[in-house]
Amino acid sequence: MKFKINLRRELKIIAVLVVLFALIAFTERMKGEVTVRAIQISMENIHDNHYLDEADVLKLTRINAENFTGASISKLNFREIEQRMKQNPFIRSAEVYSDLKGNLMVSVSLRRPIARIVRTDGPDAYIAEDGTIMPVSDKFSSRVLLISGSFMPQILKLDNLYELEEGRQIMSMLSKIREDEFWSAQIAQLEIDKKTKITLFPQVGDETIEFGKPVDLETKFRKLLIFYKNILPRVGWNRYNRINLEYEGQVVAE
């Protein structure tokens, strides 16, 4: 009796596997026969960064300027299409797949810029939240923190700020400012010199803030916050022209 029960169970498993393999074979056969009927594009753009539109994405789905419409689904290399699309600096991720009706589904998500590199000797650029250096776009401009200074040529040699130790330090500072409600509202621009010493320019107040290298972030921002909360309200926001945070344990104001 025990043998019969096990045999029935095994026969059921075999039957399920046969059906499953048949479905897979049928699906593959159907894909081989189906041609691209239409290309449907969806864009994940949570922060309304309209650097690319559907027409731009459609162009990126072409290889050797050849339109896929009418091509056989089975002859398309989805991975190659995805890799081609991700070469665009505005695109964070891309997924390409098809359905049995012949629709080519293209799903992309865009990078979010957190700072804009301002230049006098060439076009500006953006720094994305993952450190990627992005070009500016004619379609859209983000209102983000500005960065300038003699260190910019070094940054613009990179594809991503995380490739460089100084770049990683700058990214930590940018993240610190962006994640803090007060600092993201108060700090308008960073000027970074060749030694990566940073000067901050605030939204409110005429002073320049000599921050030094982007290290000891918690200590320096804590000192600056105490200065803003305890000193400036008493003497006035335009009392000082220069604030220095580089000295340990103190804030120098002139």
Side-chain angles (χ1 to χ4, degrees):
M1 186 67 179
K2 184 177 180 181
F3 174 78
K4 290 182 179 180
I5 293 174
N6 288 339
L7 181 59
R8 288 175 182 174
R9 185 183 63 185
E10 290 171 4
L11 288 174
K12 287 181 180 179
I13 293 173
I14 292 173
V16 170
L17 290 175
V18 169
V19 172
L20 179 61
F21 285 126
L23 286 173
I24 293 174
F26 174 75
T27 301
E28 292 300 318
R29 183 173 64 84
M30 288 294 293
K31 283 188 176 181
E33 297 173 354
V34 173
T35 58
V36 177
R37 178 181 177 184
I39 301 177
Q40 298 184 9
I41 297 171
S42 63
M43 300 177 65
E44 180 187 347
N45 196 8
I46 299 173
H47 304 287
D48 295 326
N49 300 321
H50 305 288
Y51 300 105
L52 298 178
D53 55 27
E54 290 189 5
D56 296 319
V57 174
L58 184 61
K59 290 178 182 178
L60 294 173
T61 63
R62 300 173 183 172
I63 296 178
N64 297 325
E66 180 180 343
N67 195 321
F68 288 151
T69 303
S72 172
I73 291 288
S74 63
K75 294 181 180 179
L76 299 182
N77 187 330
F78 292 167
R79 181 173 178 80
E80 182 180 356
I81 300 169
E82 291 170 350
Q83 292 302 319
R84 176 184 174 87
M85 295 177 68
K86 286 188 285 189
Q87 290 177 2
N88 186 292
F90 293 119
I91 294 180
R92 183 180 64 189
S93 63
E95 183 180 8
V96 180
Y97 57 96
S98 66
D99 61 21
L100 292 178
K101 295 180 180 179
N103 295 309
L104 190 66
M105 319 298 288
V106 180
S107 176
V108 299
S109 59
L110 302 183
R111 287 190 169 91
R112 180 189 183 187
I114 59 173
R116 179 167 181 152
I117 298 172
V118 181
R119 304 173 61 193
T120 57
D121 58 348
D124 292 357
Y126 285 117
I127 299 173
E129 57 189 347
D130 65 352
T132 299
I133 308 301
M134 301 163 47
V136 293
S137 170
D138 294 333
K139 297 179 182 295
F140 185 76
S141 180
S142 288
R143 297 189 63 181
V144 291
L145 185 69
L146 302 179
I147 302 181
S148 60
S150 54
F151 192 69
M152 295 306 100
Q154 187 71 13
I155 288 180
L156 292 168
K157 292 177 183 178
L158 308 172
D159 293 323
N160 191 294
L161 266 182
Y162 285 106
E163 298 171 11
L164 193 68
E165 173 61 28
E166 294 88 344
R168 291 191 287 272
Q169 293 174 348
I170 292 170
M171 281 299 299
S172 294
M173 185 165 182
L174 294 178
S175 297
K176 170 69 177 176
I177 294 171
R178 183 170 65 95
E179 293 167 3
D180 187 284
E181 184 177 358
F182 177 77
W183 296 126
S184 62
Q186 172 62 1
I187 297 174
Q189 184 170 346
L190 277 63
E191 186 174 275
I192 309 175
D193 69 13
K194 291 182 179 179
K195 297 181 179 180
T196 67
K197 286 194 172 185
I198 297 176
T199 300
L200 307 180
F201 296 88
Q203 294 277 10
V204 179
D206 296 331
E207 70 278 359
T208 58
I209 303 164
E210 297 173 3
F211 193 90
K213 290 180 176 292
V215 295
D216 300 324
L217 300 180
E218 293 297 331
T219 299
K220 291 179 179 178
F221 275 113
R222 185 168 57 249
K223 289 194 299 183
L224 184 57
L225 185 60
I226 292 172
F227 185 80
Y228 273 137
K229 285 187 173 181
N230 298 338
I231 306 300
L232 290 185
R234 295 206 311 261
V235 302
W237 284 82
N238 297 318
R239 171 67 175 79
Y240 298 107
N241 295 319
R242 170 179 166 267
I243 299 172
N244 190 301
L245 304 174
E246 295 186 76
Y247 298 99
E248 185 176 354
Q250 59 179 318
V251 176
V252 176
E254 297 177 349

